[in-house]
Amino acid sequence: GEDVEQSLFLSVREGDSSVINCTYTDSSSTYLYWYKQEPGAGLQLLTYIFSNMDMKQDQRLTVLLNKKDKHLSLRIADTQTGDSAIYFCAESISGNTGKLIFGQGTTLQVKP
Amino acid sequence: DVKVTQSSRYLVKRTGEKVFLECVQDMDHENMFWYRQDPGLGLRLIYFSYDVKMKEKGDIPEGYSVSREKKERFSLILESASTNQTSMYLCASSSSRVGDYGYTFGSGTRLTVV
């Protein structure tokens, strides 16, 4: 079945770049997503990438997609303490525009 | 601003009680979802609905039921609450319209069953 895997924890220093990685299994996924969850809150859509793209940039965020390896990454440039949160990768299920499969989430800790 | 509203942020219930978690969205979305979130396990899908009065089981439906009588409202019901249902519950909605992407989430309900 479909599966999305992420490492559970990443620690960086303020001002450094953060790279959060994700692997997925459904090669026919149409869209892949990154969500951010701050403490005590719901998930907020950060960005998404269409499966026919290799890269998408949005201010400090860069998403890279390697379809051959089914690998997705989120790079945050100049990481700030406000970026500390849990980041979830998600893939859309083929043939169904409504349902997403989420990874376990990566906790990003930003040290001053 | 579009919203998914969950009726309670924090809830404490006793074992064996029937518990209702309410979720309302104002975006005219067709699809609605209930997830539970536990540390290290990510988000696990309990139930989802593609239309009014329609429901489908997710990955962990045991001990739960749902109701969708109106398009904007999706309720999660714990028939007889147990301590292993202590968790964060997240509601989400999405559109099936082309060009609308991803889920919009509510703020979550942290349920403690004692």
Side-chain angles (χ1 to χ4, degrees):
Chain A
E2 306 91 1
D3 196 17
V4 178
E5 297 280 340
Q6 299 177 241
S7 55
L8 293 182
F9 187 78
L10 176 66
S11 181
V12 300
R13 292 218 172 271
E14 192 173 18
D16 288 350
S17 291
S18 308
V19 180
I20 302 171
N21 295 301
C22 169
T23 57
Y24 60 96
T25 55
D26 189 344
S27 58
S28 57
S29 289
T30 311
Y31 292 95
L32 295 125
Y33 301 84
W34 284 104
Y35 283 83
K36 176 183 180 182
Q37 184 182 34
E38 296 181 350
L43 278 70
Q44 170 193 359
L45 178 64
L46 265 185
T47 187
Y48 62 91
I49 187 167
F50 190 47
S51 59
N52 68 353
M53 298 169 66
D54 298 323
M55 185 181 87
K56 181 179 181 181
Q57 187 147 7
D58 183 2
Q59 299 182 336
R60 293 190 297 122
L61 305 179
T62 303
V63 178
L64 295 177
L65 175 59
N66 181 329
K67 283 197 73 175
K68 175 175 166 290
D69 295 336
K70 300 195 189 81
H71 183 266
L72 183 73
S73 67
L74 174 69
R75 178 177 180 269
I76 305 173
D78 187 25
T79 313
Q80 303 297 308
T81 54
D83 295 323
S84 293
I86 304 175
Y87 291 82
F88 290 91
C89 167
E91 63 168 343
S92 59
I93 300 303
S94 58
N96 182 327
T97 59
K99 191 176 169 191
L100 302 182
I101 299 295
F102 288 85
Q104 309 96 307
T106 300
T107 298
L108 175 64
Q109 180 189 66
V110 182
K111 296 180 180 177
Chain B
D1 198 16
V2 295
K3 274 192 177 163
V4 175
T5 304
Q6 293 184 232
S7 53
S8 305
R9 289 299 303 271
Y10 299 94
L11 215 49
V12 180
K13 296 292 181 180
R14 293 197 180 277
T15 301
E17 276 193 77
K18 191 168 185 176
V19 181
F20 293 85
L21 302 183
E22 305 288 345
C23 176
V24 177
Q25 51 96 2
D26 64 1
M27 296 165 284
D28 199 34
H29 281 174
E30 297 82 6
N31 313 311
M32 296 188 75
F33 306 84
W34 274 107
Y35 286 86
R36 64 177 281 176
Q37 182 181 13
D38 301 288
L41 297 178
L43 275 67
R44 292 182 290 168
L45 182 63
I46 305 171
Y47 267 97
F48 59 105
S49 169
Y50 288 134
D51 202 351
V52 176
K53 297 193 186 296
M54 291 183 66
K55 59 185 179 184
E56 293 196 37
K57 293 179 180 179
D59 301 317
I60 52 163
E62 297 77 20
Y64 303 95
S65 62
V66 290
S67 171
R68 193 163 180 203
E69 295 296 317
K70 293 185 178 181
K71 189 176 186 180
E72 66 269 19
R73 185 181 296 270
F74 193 36
S75 303
L76 180 69
I77 303 154
L78 285 67
E79 297 291 343
S80 177
S82 64
T83 54
N84 64 12
Q85 292 178 310
T86 291
S87 188
M88 169 73 99
Y89 289 87
L90 292 166
C91 176
S93 70
S94 73
S95 171
S96 297
R97 292 185 287 269
V98 173
D100 288 347
Y101 306 111
Y103 288 4
T104 302
F105 279 88
S107 300
T109 295
R110 185 165 292 283
L111 173 67
T112 303
V113 182
V114 297

